[in-house]
Amino acid sequence: MDGQSGQSAATQPVGIDLVAPEVFAPMLRRLALAAVGVGVGAALLSAVWLSWLYAILIGLAVAVPTIGYVFAFGRRRLWLSGTVIRAHRLFGERAMDLADATGVQLLVYPARLSRIVLRVIVGGDTQSVPLAMYTDVGSGRELHLLGLRKLADALAASELAAAVAISDVLVRQLRAEARDAGLDERPLYQAVRTARSKDGVSPVVLTDSEVAALS
């Protein structure tokens, strides 16, 4: 019975969104309401010169794209169940098993707000999982501890050496956060700093040696 309970806990879905969609829900609602208001205004203004049919079509053309974006953004979620990443999208869901990964990389998007993501490749499919983002003044947001722990465990189940190395980086990140270490002592921030030192603007893929050097 305890074994079944442990197995169930291991496969319990865990959200791995860097910023949960619920955080943006109030802003998204305001954006949708604003789009409706602008669409109605555009329709009323157009009705001065055009028939109501064309005016309504113009209003819809103005409002619908924004409302569609708001709805699609609210539907996006990332979950991890055991070793399986599930990406919820506007239409359907995509699942990728980290145990079957053919490639695993750490990517950094250097900018004033730099992002570091885990890129997983399974055959011809690719899925990115945001791990952290940092500003150039030393602040930022990191994936919650449970998400990092589950990702580290899932990567450790892979046969790829790169996956195991990144799993070790996430474990070291967890330890740094547990002792409330400064950013300079956190491996994910060190990865961002390494990418920034290259003076590039394109996504930087960390090499095996750069991943290994993250302490």
Side-chain angles (χ1 to χ4, degrees):
M1 193 72 175
D2 290 341
Q4 290 180 347
S5 176
Q7 184 177 12
S8 175
T11 57
Q12 185 76 18
V14 173
I16 53 173
D17 295 286
L18 183 58
V19 181
E22 289 83 1
V23 174
F24 293 107
M27 182 190 69
L28 293 176
R29 283 194 294 269
R30 290 194 295 270
L31 182 59
L33 289 173
V36 171
V38 172
V40 170
L44 292 174
L45 185 62
S46 301
V48 175
W49 297 281
L50 303 173
S51 68
W52 274 107
L53 176 61
Y54 286 109
I56 291 172
L57 290 176
I58 289 174
L60 290 174
V62 170
V64 167
T66 301
I67 295 173
Y69 170 80
V70 167
F71 183 72
F73 189 89
R75 289 273 300 172
R76 291 175 57 187
R77 291 301 302 264
L78 281 175
W79 298 90
L80 182 63
S81 302
T83 61
V84 179
I85 297 174
R86 302 188 184 279
H88 292 235
R89 298 180 174 181
L90 179 58
F91 301 108
E93 173 187 285
R94 183 173 71 175
M96 298 179 67
D97 196 334
L98 280 166
D100 298 330
T102 53
V104 180
Q105 299 170 322
L106 281 181
L107 273 75
V108 177
Y109 295 81
R112 294 189 66 180
L113 179 62
S114 298
R115 296 180 295 123
I116 178 168
V117 306
L118 170 70
R119 183 163 70 181
V120 180
I121 304 168
V122 179
D125 294 329
T126 302
Q127 178 64 52
S128 294
V129 180
L131 299 175
M133 56 185 179
Y134 300 103
T135 68
D136 57 1
V137 294
S139 62
R141 176 185 289 269
E142 298 160 334
L143 183 61
H144 57 85
L145 296 178
L146 181 58
L148 285 174
R149 175 75 263 177
K150 293 293 186 180
L151 271 175
D153 292 343
L155 287 166
S158 173
E159 296 182 357
L160 294 176
V164 176
I166 294 174
S167 174
D168 289 340
V169 169
L170 298 186
V171 170
R172 292 197 290 272
Q173 175 75 18
L174 283 165
R175 291 172 179 166
E177 292 188 30
R179 67 175 189 272
D180 198 25
L183 283 182
D184 287 340
E185 299 178 59
R186 302 190 181 201
L188 294 182
Y189 183 74
Q190 293 173 10
V192 168
R193 193 173 55 189
T194 297
R196 285 175 176 168
S197 68
K198 298 183 179 183
D199 294 326
V201 294
S202 300
V204 175
V205 180
L206 298 188
T207 65
D208 292 343
S209 59
E210 287 171 337
V211 171
L214 300 175
S215 59

